[in-house]
Amino acid sequence: MGEDRALMIEVINLHKYFKDHHVLKGLNQKVYKSEVVAMIGPSGAGKSTFLRCLNRLEEPSLGKILIEGTDITATRTDINKVRTEIGMVFQSFNLFPHLTALQNIKLAPINVRRMSEKDAEERGRQLLKKVGLQEKANAYPDQLSGGQQQRVAIARALAMQPHMIFFDEPTSALDPEMIREVLDVMDNLAKEGMTMLVVSHEIGFIREAATRILVLADGCIIEEGTPNEVLKHPQHSRTQDFLSKIV
Amino acid sequence: MANIKQTPIRESFAKRYRARFGHLPWFKRYECLIPLSIIILLIGFLLLPPLGKPTPLQWLWIGVFLILLILWVVGILTDIEKPRWIRAIAAISFVFVLGFFFYRYSGAQWDKLTTNFFNLSVMEGLWGDLGQGLLMTLKVALVSMCISLVLGLVIAILRSLNNPILNVFLIIYIDFFRAIPLIVLVVFVFYALPFLGIELDPYISAVVAVSLSYAAYVAEVIRAGIESIYRGQVEASRALGLSSMQTMRLVILPQAVRVVIPPTTGLMVGLLKDTALTTIIGLPELLYKGIQNTIWQSNPTPLVAAAVLYIIVLLPLTRFSGYLETRSKKWVKTAR
Amino acid sequence: MMPEMVPSPPTGGNKTRPSWRERFGHVPWFRRYEFLGGLFLLLLALAFFLPPFGRPQSTLVWIEIAVYFLAVLFWVGIILSDIEKPNWMKAIAAVLIVLVFGWLFYQYSGARWDKLAHAFFNWEILSATGSYGSTTSAWIELLAGLWLTLQLAFFSIIFGTVLGLILAVLRNLHDPVLNFFLTIWVDFFRAIPIIVLMMLIYYAFPYLGITLSGVVSGVLTLTLNSSAYISEIFRAGIESIHYGQVEASRALGLTTMQTMRLVILPQAIRVVMPPLASNYVAMLKDTAICSVIAILELLKTAITLQSWLANPTPLVAATALYLLILIPMARFSSVLENRMKARGVSRALASKKG
Ligand SMILES: Nc1ncnc2c1ncn2[C@@H]1O[C@H](COP(=O)(O)OP(=O)(O)O)[C@@H](O)[C@H]1O
Ligand SMILES: [Mg+2]
């Protein structure tokens, strides 16, 4: 599917070791523009490690990763430049506690993109509005609820106008009533055509928004397909097992 | 690691090298570190002066040497990918060089070390005297500990009554005794009070000064412990039908004690350390004995011995209180 | 309770007492007014049997006085710890305990109060003469001592902070070999009393050929001592920053330097400031120890003047000067600490919400 669209991510034979622990065992994957790829799998399967290799928060041990055609494992590549094209949203939000919501959002555009203070401010307020938090611009992270913090984190990632966004379990640190508000924001992003890689176990969200599901176990992609295929008719026994546990 | 070697086999060495180390900043690369090691060694062997007081130019070379060495060490130690043996060599040589420089250029006459600093023949017959000093130190410390703990507890309890009038006086007490340097207080009690007709011998003066001062610290620590108990705890116990005494006994105190014990232990170790200050009023405790004997013998070995005794007693205690404190921090973290 | 009582007392209404028992019957015996009133009268009566003015000679009399004070304390404690007692009564109790303490101290401390003004607050003696051979007044000498105290503190703080920072950075390399030596350094200087170290450097080192002046010895001692404490403070500050902060900055494309400047340092400084401030206050206090190595700082000046003038007023003045400087500083540092704690708590609650 989607062969006519631009190739955003290409992963070729990606291996990752932590000391002697073989965590990723030769992954191959292509992600095209505007795809929403959901990754599921048991804890410790290597989902986070995979995502973090893609913007080199972890150094890949072996293999090639092309982001929009640039080989990020090559030495001459300026990884910071690539990272500006990739937004990342963490499970634990990781907002900067010494900065207000708006300052959190403005920080990277001003210091990395060299955007003017005024433009960054304007853009920041737009984004806060987009995630429904325009009145919280001057609140510090510890004055916000978890759901609000995560929405600010998404706005912070969007402020760099990234070409793709990675979400690593963005809702698993949240209370149930706050999950919805975050998923709504993500849903809207998907509808706008953002390329997204999402590690999440929110089956409802995956069924609605995802275009494709990857199932990881023990560092391998054991199954892959549309939500319909994978969720309704899982082929691999481990997938069946896993799905029966989380649904 | 093994897998990296599997990358395309027929590449030039330069290319393989770049793929392996190219991402490192310049000061962490081998092409910088290896020449740097050679330069450092050359300076070390050719330009550094021998034992004794260096001239200004030689000081300059020592400075250059040290700066290069630090660059070298930082380049190696900030890179976790460097093999362990290289890191170990870097760390050891760094510490060794610092020690060696102190040995060479501090101007100390090391040949006098055994005759003047660790002269056991001087100590003959003095160990008993120092031992008595140590006993006096421990006696003052123990008595002051008891008094300051009780007094501090009373003050803390009175403060927890939250009576505004009483609080004024208690805060004055606490602020006064925490702000005044203990040695000033010791001197004041021993040298100034007699002018008022209050004459106390050195022992009593020491106990009074140390106890009054530490009671203020203890009071603050205990109060903070009581206040740190989350209000939800009281509400929860009340909801369970516990009376206020039961709440205090079963819920608040057990938690408060756990919170309070580590910092209080730290305070008590500090108290033991601070008894050395009472030397200034001639109390025959350990430091005083060390100084006296140093003067009589014209040899500082007794003073060094006293210092060693202090370390022997205090080091385990400091470690222990530090251990309690880190452990309690962990506990507080998991409790949240 | 009240509304139930009013409608119908079961056995008719000809008694006047029940309302008292109804009101206070649930109170345990030691909180009842009968008991407290009785105890008060007893204590009042006993006050007339206390020994006369002057320092008691026998231990028995000391015990008698102590027991009397504890009994008053007990009485006051009961009143103050009872929520139901009226406020005016609590105020009286609080004033009473302070008065009793002051009175007992006045009576039995053995102080010659008539000498107080002449001995302790003899300001003429301060402005009239200085110590032996000096042409200025004692006041000026004390102020010069204070100036030296402040200088000692200033340089020790600067050097101690720099050294502590270097040690903390080395510690942050997490190298086992370096850590071994750093631990020894920190443990040693935290375990040895400052006064012992100072005497070692000033009196013992010359026997090795290392002769340092008093001021240098003092600053060196305080620097070494504080470097151990300060390095631990910095280390805790650096470690307190969650690793996620670095990752988030990297993911946004900030460089290492930008991450340090914009994210790590601003947070670390906040964590480090309160303990650092209280450490600086402690260092200012510790400069008084320099008086044992003949540095004419505030305390030593005061001691010298006191023995020259045969009057403790210089010591009183020195104490006052210390308090004048240190109380505001200590207050300031505890304000910092409380603010920090408050932030910590609200953050903990927020993350609990999340
Ligand atoms: N920094 C690390 N050092 C060592 N092992 C790690 C590290 N990060 C992750 N791992 C290991 O890699 C495996 C995969 O982890 P992760 O990618 O976080 O799994 P997932 O996100 O699917 O739950 C786990 O077994 C974990 O223990
Ligand atoms: Mg994970």
Side-chain angles (χ1 to χ4, degrees), chain A residues 218-235:
Chain A
D218 282 338
C220 299
I221 298 177
I222 57 170
E223 191 160 349
E224 176 177 357
T226 64
N228 232 341
E229 294 162 5
V230 175
L231 296 179
K232 293 236 175 75
H233 314 288
Q235 303 295 315

Side-chain angles (χ1 to χ4, degrees), chain A residues 11-73:
Chain A
V11 179
I12 303 164
N13 191 27
L14 173 66
H15 286 265
K16 173 69 188 173
Y17 288 83
F18 287 112
K19 297 268 159 60
D20 294 332
H21 184 21
H22 200 172
V23 177
L24 297 180
K25 302 172 181 167
L27 303 187
N28 291 290
Q29 197 50 227
K30 283 181 184 169
V31 177
Y32 293 91
K33 192 163 172 54
S34 297
E35 271 196 293
V36 177
V37 180
M39 276 196 274
I40 59 174
S43 168
K47 307 179 296 291
S48 304
T49 310
F50 180 46
L51 271 194
R52 293 153 58 85
C53 280
L54 294 185
N55 61 358
R56 276 207 10 213
L57 285 180
E58 303 285 358
E59 291 293 330
S61 305
L62 181 69
K64 249 186 178 173
I65 298 171
L66 304 173
I67 301 285
E68 297 182 286
T70 316
D71 180 0
I72 65 161
T73 49

Side-chain angles (χ1 to χ4, degrees), chain B residues 22-76:
Chain B
H23 64 280
L24 293 173
W26 61 272
F27 63 95
K28 294 184 189 176
R29 301 236 197 128
Y30 285 112
E31 59 260 49
C32 165
L33 288 175
I34 293 172
L36 195 55
S37 331
I38 296 171
I39 295 175
I40 289 174
L41 284 177
L42 282 179
I43 296 182
F45 282 111
L46 299 179
L47 290 167
L48 288 188
L51 194 72
K53 277 226 150 73
T55 64
L57 184 71
Q58 288 168 329
W59 273 122
L60 183 72
W61 281 117
I62 293 175
V64 170
F65 181 87
L66 275 180
I67 288 170
L68 290 180
L69 183 78
I70 288 172
L71 185 67
W72 182 76
V73 166
V74 167
I76 291 176

Side-chain angles (χ1 to χ4, degrees), chain B residues 3 21 48 54 56 64 83 127 161 171 181 195 209 212 217 239 252 263 302 308 319:
Chain B
N3 301 277
F21 301 110
L48 288 188
V64 170
W127 286 113
L161 295 175
I171 291 174
F195 286 87
L212 287 179
Y217 291 102
I252 308 291
V308 170
R319 285 239 112 184

Side-chain angles (χ1 to χ4, degrees), chain C residues 155-177:
Chain C
F155 287 110
S156 313
I157 284 174
I158 298 288
F159 295 142
T161 307
V162 171
L163 188 54
L165 196 55
I166 293 175
L167 295 177
V169 169
L170 289 179
R171 182 64 82 122
N172 209 41
L173 295 174
H174 297 297
D175 184 83
V177 181

